[in-house]
Amino acid sequence: MLEGLIEGLFTVIQPIHLLALFAGVFIGFLGGAAPGISGTMLVVILLPITYSLDATSAFLMLTAIYAASVFSGSISAILFRTPGTPEAVATVFDGYPMAKKGNPGKALGVAIYSSAIGGILGTLILIFLTPVLAGFALQFSSPEYFALALLGLTVVASLSGKNLLKGFIGVGFGLFIATIGIDAISGTQRFTFDNSYLMSGIGLVPVLIGLFAISEVLRKSQEDHSVKNSMKKVKQKMLDTKLFRSLSGTIGRSSLLGTCIGILPGVGATTASMLSYSEAVRWSKKKEEFGKGNPEGIAAPESANNSAAMGALVPLLSLGIPGSATTAIILGAFILHGMQPGPMLVTTQPTLVYSIFIGLLIVNVLIIIFAKPFIAMFSQTLKVPYTVMGPIILLLCIIGSYAVRNSMMDVWIMLLFGLIGFFLEKNKFPLAPIVLGVVLGPLAEQEFRRSLQMAGGDMSIFFNRPISAVLISLAFIAVVAPIIKKMLDSRKNTNAKEDTNV
């Protein structure tokens, strides 16, 4: 392995390969920061171009685009409340509130270093534990996937603030949105009203852009924009050593969780970031500060989505199974170049595999080096009057929503959810539970039904398998514990009042 890594390093530092790597990082930064343009879309667009390159340059560029775009989606999420990529949606919850408080530089600093650390840890795990993690991933079947999604959904109790009922209504609405379209198992149309567009379901990107970006444009159009002056201070110090020491546990835990989730085929970095955010809320001693600018709420999803992006390459390289939509495109690139990922890839193409490993380590270091000058350039848009910037953001949102499936219906869906998000926020209704339901709903429903099909309708399958039993138990505790705590606190307050009266 050491010889392979050294050979990979000497391969990567060749000028043509370094040029491909730098180009990938720059393209990933630009595409990720633009709303609605995901890493998957960038990889698809550039796939035909890489056919003319040698295999090493091609895969260094594609993996660099993937890693850089996952990070850069946080830039627009923090500055404009517009997640540049779906992986950055959880970053909006605390990143934008921190920026509004006058700390955009600190919020971006947390995102930069959390992303880089998460990516580096994910890559190191990718290098040293690929065979072990791939074997662990094979133990996951439908019951485990369902239990994992259920555990993520239980964080609705923490995301809802003091109004648990609104939180459950929100997550229920999100779950309902996730059911629209053709049932993946039975092929039955659900809530489509014979509309051909709805047969493919409601896309995640239009929903996210509508709920967060369009609703924010509508809200800001009614403001005096005085908050904008406090958001121009992006040049402030981004690295706070004391802050990062306090976040080290969150970053380490989220990176590990993100990598483990990333290696599960088909789950992806968006789910990893959402689950890591929910776990950060669960583990935090300051749950009430989430959604108001808590640095943990930025560190958790950013370290998780970058480590998950690295983890998604584990099943691809070791088993030939793509761990996410983007790695599925990269699988196509391998086939395009006449290679088949799988157990024999390290044996047949050791230089290429170790070059990819070294390239990913370098990319995550480059994120730290180039993120600040890129953000300084990108943040100049904050100086543009909002009467100009608002329409530009709206235009970018329309382009981003349309580009996903080349459908005008996605644009109308985005605008509809923009109005929904605007009126919900006006009535103090939390948006995070809706997103939670939309992201985790398909995974929870499909794997629940597949599990019952496997067991012939026997519900005990979820408790007979150790991993799913543990995850479901944790989910149950997560829901019941806050209710019991609230009852005990209420009783304690009642007793205290009675003692005072006596």
Side-chain angles (χ1 to χ4, degrees), residues 279-301:
E279 289 309 303
V281 176
R282 208 187 310 277
W283 283 70
S284 178
K285 296 177 182 178
K286 300 176 180 178
K287 294 180 174 60
E288 68 283 353
E289 293 182 7
F290 279 83
K292 301 174 184 177
N294 190 330
E296 289 183 74
I298 304 171

Side-chain angles (χ1 to χ4, degrees), residues 375-419:
I375 289 169
M377 177 186 69
F378 191 79
S379 63
Q380 293 303 308
T381 54
L382 288 172
K383 297 180 181 179
V384 179
Y386 203 78
T387 51
V388 176
M389 183 51 61
I392 291 174
I393 292 175
L394 180 62
L395 180 62
L396 287 173
C397 291
I398 290 172
I399 293 170
S401 295
Y402 177 81
V404 175
R405 296 192 290 190
N406 294 327
S407 171
M408 271 305 296
M409 275 298 291
D410 278 341
V411 176
W412 294 116
I413 290 292
M414 175 201 69
L415 295 174
L416 173 63
F417 276 90
L419 290 172

